[in-house]
Amino acid sequence: SRKLAVVLDLDHTLIHTTGIDSPPQNTEDLEKHVVHYVTIDERVKIQDKQVFVKKHFLVKKRPFLDQFLNDNAELFQFSIYTAGTRLYAEAIAKLIDPTGKLFGGRIVSRSDVANDTKMGLEKSLHRIFLGDASMALIVDDREDVWQGEQGEQLILVRPFSHFKGAVEVNNAA
């Protein structure tokens, strides 16, 4: 479609997320602050057993995120690349892009990288663009996760933080 590829990080770049123990009781307060509630059933290992645990998150979008994505959808093909898990990335993508028109399933998460000892903190454009990744831009709040020449394609943004003093999800900026 002759669009420039733009690879977007989630945590501290497009959104700020914090984990909570249970669903929020007062949704009016969330709506007032434009904070979203997201829940996923994440598979975790507990005492050598795989079990599903319901995880609860509060999510705040970076100011003007929706406008940026909608205004630039004709120019760019957006993808998500996150240190979060696949289930987390899909839930956040659905929050940001409920129709699926912006990302179209183009997501790379730490769950997608075999034998990932760095917990998603070593990213590579070659996992998205198997041939030539030279026509892709990266937007991320961290430059240390993009090693080598691909770092030259990085647009580094100031980390977005909304939940002051809260437990960080996926990476500490």
Side-chain angles (χ1 to χ4, degrees), residues 47-150:
Q47 297 178 348
D48 295 330
K49 282 185 159 184
Q50 296 284 340
V51 296
F52 284 95
V53 175
K54 190 166 287 294
K55 292 190 174 182
H56 309 273
F57 303 99
L58 294 180
V59 181
K60 176 74 173 178
K61 293 181 188 177
R62 187 178 203 113
F64 305 104
L65 172 62
D66 293 330
Q67 181 180 349
F68 167 77
L69 292 172
N70 290 321
D71 288 355
N72 291 292
E74 293 298 316
L75 301 172
F76 304 127
Q77 176 183 309
F78 294 116
S79 299
I80 292 173
Y81 201 133
T82 181
T85 65
R86 165 61 62 172
L87 290 174
Y88 172 81
E90 288 173 347
I92 299 300
K94 188 171 183 170
L95 170 70
I96 295 171
D97 178 22
T99 64
K101 290 181 182 178
L102 297 172
F103 300 114
R106 291 179 299 276
I107 299 172
V108 176
S109 71
R110 75 172 182 234
S111 306
D112 302 322
V113 180
N115 303 316
D116 182 10
T117 59
K118 303 271 187 179
M119 293 298 291
L121 296 178
E122 188 173 283
K123 298 177 179 180
S124 173
L125 286 176
H126 296 292
R127 292 186 181 123
I128 301 173
F129 308 102
L130 301 177
D132 183 11
S134 65
M135 291 301 292
L137 290 176
I138 305 162
V139 179
D140 203 324
D141 66 299
R142 295 181 59 169
E143 59 185 330
D144 61 313
V145 299
W146 298 98
Q147 301 295 314
E149 291 181 13
Q150 64 189 357

